Amino acid sequence: MAYIQLEPLNEGLLSRISDVLLCGWTCQHCCQRCYESSCCQSSEDEVEILGPFPAQTPPWLMASRSNDKDGDSVHTASDVPLTPRTNSPDGRRSSSDTSKSTYSLTRRISSLDSRRPSSPLIDIKPVEFGILSAKKEPIQPSVLRRTYTPDDYFRKFEPRLYSLDSNLDDVDSLTDEEIMSKYQLGMLHFSTQYDLLHNHLTVRVIEARDLPPPISHDGSRQDMAHSNPYVKICLLPDQKNSKQTGVKRKTQKPVFEERYTFEIPFLEAQRRTLLLTVVDFDKFSRHCVIGKVAVPLCEVDLVKGGHWWKALIPSSQNEVELGELLLSLNYLPSAGRLNVDIIRAKQLLQTDVSQGSDPFVKIQLVHGLKLVKTKKTSFLRGTIDPFYNESFSFKVPQEELENASLVFTVFGHNMKSSNDFIGRIVIGQYSSGPSESNHWRRMLNTHRTAVEQWHSLRSRAECDRVSPASLEVT
């Protein structure tokens, strides 16, 4: 249906305003709504108004129409009746007709505005149109993506889920009887007491019981019915300064009765954790860990002291460390001499059940892949913490220093058979690890100055795998 304006536009200002408003809402002749105006016919003077009008009657307008029909029958006497407008003979409106039409129009528009639903506000940002040139690039909408930093990425992982001890998280909530029935690794009897007068902690290892029988995968054990247990004691997080009991032969119920002292302030002792590790001695292979007991010293009355029976739990460290070696290197470029000092070793792997070990160190100079010189220290009887303080000197020209390697091997002296291998490291061109490479680099950068460093001993297989110089020695 086309919507038209029924009055010429060349009239006065008031008439034009009335025509514009009347066109939107009512018919000028019958005062009915435009959507219902079927009574008015177009004439030659009518002007068609074009524009996008709704194809259907809006719901809010239909609701207002029904309300208007109901409201027309309830007018009061004060309401001004709406009558059709008639034209004067000269074709102009009378002032009374104009005022009545304006008043009626105002009332109807106000009633429609009160019923019309509020439209949502739309915030339309201005769009800039222009011709893209070489200096101006088109702006593309950017997609917001969350960027993950390495910290955010690794924060998702829980290290305990990937730890070998992840199945031991519930140990703290179990009693000793429950731990014993679950793991069946035996129990350990020990005591602690702190001496405030001398500022040292005394740990007494008394005995163990119900230890499991040894397990051998290569069948090299001569006696598979009994273990040869001993206990290593340390205060975490320091595992280097540890103590070790003697080995008790062929028993699952060893009695140790040994005391060890740790020089440590009282406040520092309360921040440490006492770790007792029960190990099975094996002369023919690496020693195996049976179980461990960890006691936070902050939960213990150190001054009063006490003793406990604690059930052993599995350890993530299945094999004990081989020990450590303290070395000093010094090169004299004018004399072309490489000086090596074997100072001491500690916590070496025990090779004899009865008296510990009789350790000594063999030093071998390898140039490229050729063995040049071999020297060794004296052996010290019955100890795993030997002090050597012995010096050795090798003739190495400066132009050959970069191709030189030193192989240090610790053995346990054996009078009846071949010496027992304990551990090895390689320092030089074919170093066996980062620590050894760092020591060699420091020596090259500081000529005529002795450079000391501790080194953890490695197995023969590990050195042979990473260092060709280890393959050239025995």
Side-chain angles (χ1 to χ4, degrees), residues 456-470:
S456 297
L457 297 177
R458 306 175 186 269
S459 64
R460 189 196 303 268
E462 183 179 359
C463 291
D464 291 347
R465 186 173 60 253
V466 299
S467 175
S470 178

Side-chain angles (χ1 to χ4, degrees), residues 259-289:
R259 297 173 182 267
Y260 300 93
T261 59
F262 294 87
E263 301 290 338
I264 185 173
F266 178 74
L267 295 179
E268 179 64 21
Q270 289 184 318
R271 291 192 288 265
R272 298 294 186 92
T273 298
L274 175 63
L275 178 64
L276 302 169
T277 306
V278 181
V279 186
D280 183 18
F281 174 87
D282 191 346
K283 179 178 177 63
F284 302 99
S285 63
R286 298 285 291 270
H287 301 183
C288 299
V289 177

Side-chain angles (χ1 to χ4, degrees), residues 198-465:
H198 300 90
N199 290 328
H200 66 252
L201 176 67
T202 302
V203 179
R204 176 189 173 198
V205 182
I206 304 173
E207 60 179 323
R209 70 184 184 191
D210 300 329
L211 298 180
I215 299 177
S216 178
H217 299 285
D218 55 3
S220 59
R221 288 291 297 269
Q222 295 178 350
D223 184 8
M224 297 298 298
H226 300 284
S227 301
N228 300 312
Y230 64 93
V231 181
K232 297 190 71 173
I233 309 101
C234 66
L235 298 178
L236 297 179
D238 182 14
Q239 299 189 44
K240 303 300 182 182
N241 298 321
S242 60
K243 311 291 183 179
Q244 178 178 318
T245 68
V247 180
K248 303 302 176 181
R249 301 185 61 182
K250 300 181 181 181
T251 177
Q252 308 305 118
K253 299 179 180 180
V255 178
F256 299 101
E257 284 295 347
E258 299 183 26
R259 297 173 182 267
Y260 300 93
T261 59
F262 294 87
E263 301 290 338
I264 185 173
F266 178 74
L267 295 179
E268 179 64 21
Q270 289 184 318
R271 291 192 288 265
R272 298 294 186 92
T273 298
L274 175 63
L275 178 64
L276 302 169
T277 306
V278 181
V279 186
D280 183 18
F281 174 87
D282 191 346
K283 179 178 177 63
F284 302 99
S285 63
R286 298 285 291 270
H287 301 183
C288 299
V289 177
I290 299 176
K292 67 177 182 179
V293 173
V295 180
L297 296 182
C298 61
E299 302 175 359
V300 178
D301 189 349
L302 295 178
V303 178
K304 182 178 179 180
H307 61 90
W308 302 270
W309 276 99
K310 290 290 184 179
L312 297 175
I313 61 175
S315 174
S316 59
Q317 183 182 1
N318 295 325
E319 297 177 345
V320 297
E321 296 180 354
L322 301 177
E324 292 184 282
L325 185 64
L326 179 59
L327 305 174
S328 174
L329 301 179
N330 181 20
Y331 183 73
L332 302 177
S334 59
R337 306 296 297 184
L338 178 60
N339 299 325
V340 179
D341 294 337
I342 308 297
I343 302 175
R344 59 168 296 195
K346 66 179 181 180
Q347 294 302 306
L348 297 177
L349 187 69
Q350 189 168 339
T351 59
D352 190 275
V353 177
S354 57
Q355 57 181 5
S357 298
D358 300 333
F360 68 93
V361 183
K362 182 187 289 188
I363 309 101
Q364 295 168 293
L365 175 64
V366 178
H367 182 264
L369 295 178
K370 180 181 179 181
L371 179 61
V372 178
K373 194 73 174 178
T374 299
K375 298 183 180 183
K376 63 180 181 179
T377 67
S378 58
F379 66 90
L380 302 179
R381 294 185 178 275
T383 179
I384 59 174
D385 300 304
F387 284 83
Y388 296 104
N389 290 324
E390 299 185 26
S391 299
F392 304 90
S393 181
F394 297 90
K395 179 67 176 180
V396 181
Q398 189 170 4
E399 59 273 10
E400 299 179 0
L401 185 61
E402 294 182 355
N403 298 324
S405 299
L406 291 172
V407 182
F408 298 87
T409 308
V410 182
F411 290 96
H413 181 70
N414 195 325
M415 296 290 295
K416 299 179 181 181
S417 61
S418 60
N419 296 325
D420 301 318
F421 177 88
I422 295 178
R424 171 179 292 175
I425 59 170
V426 181
I427 301 178
Q429 180 187 11
Y430 300 111
S431 295
S432 56
S435 176
E436 293 85 340
S437 298
N438 182 48
H439 193 182
W440 184 256
R441 192 182 310 111
R442 290 169 54 200
M443 187 269 297
L444 294 178
N445 295 333
T446 56
H447 290 170
R448 303 181 183 87
T449 302
V451 180
E452 294 183 3
Q453 185 172 325
W454 280 99
H455 296 278
S456 297
L457 297 177
R458 306 175 186 269
S459 64
R460 189 196 303 268
E462 183 179 359
C463 291
D464 291 347
R465 186 173 60 253

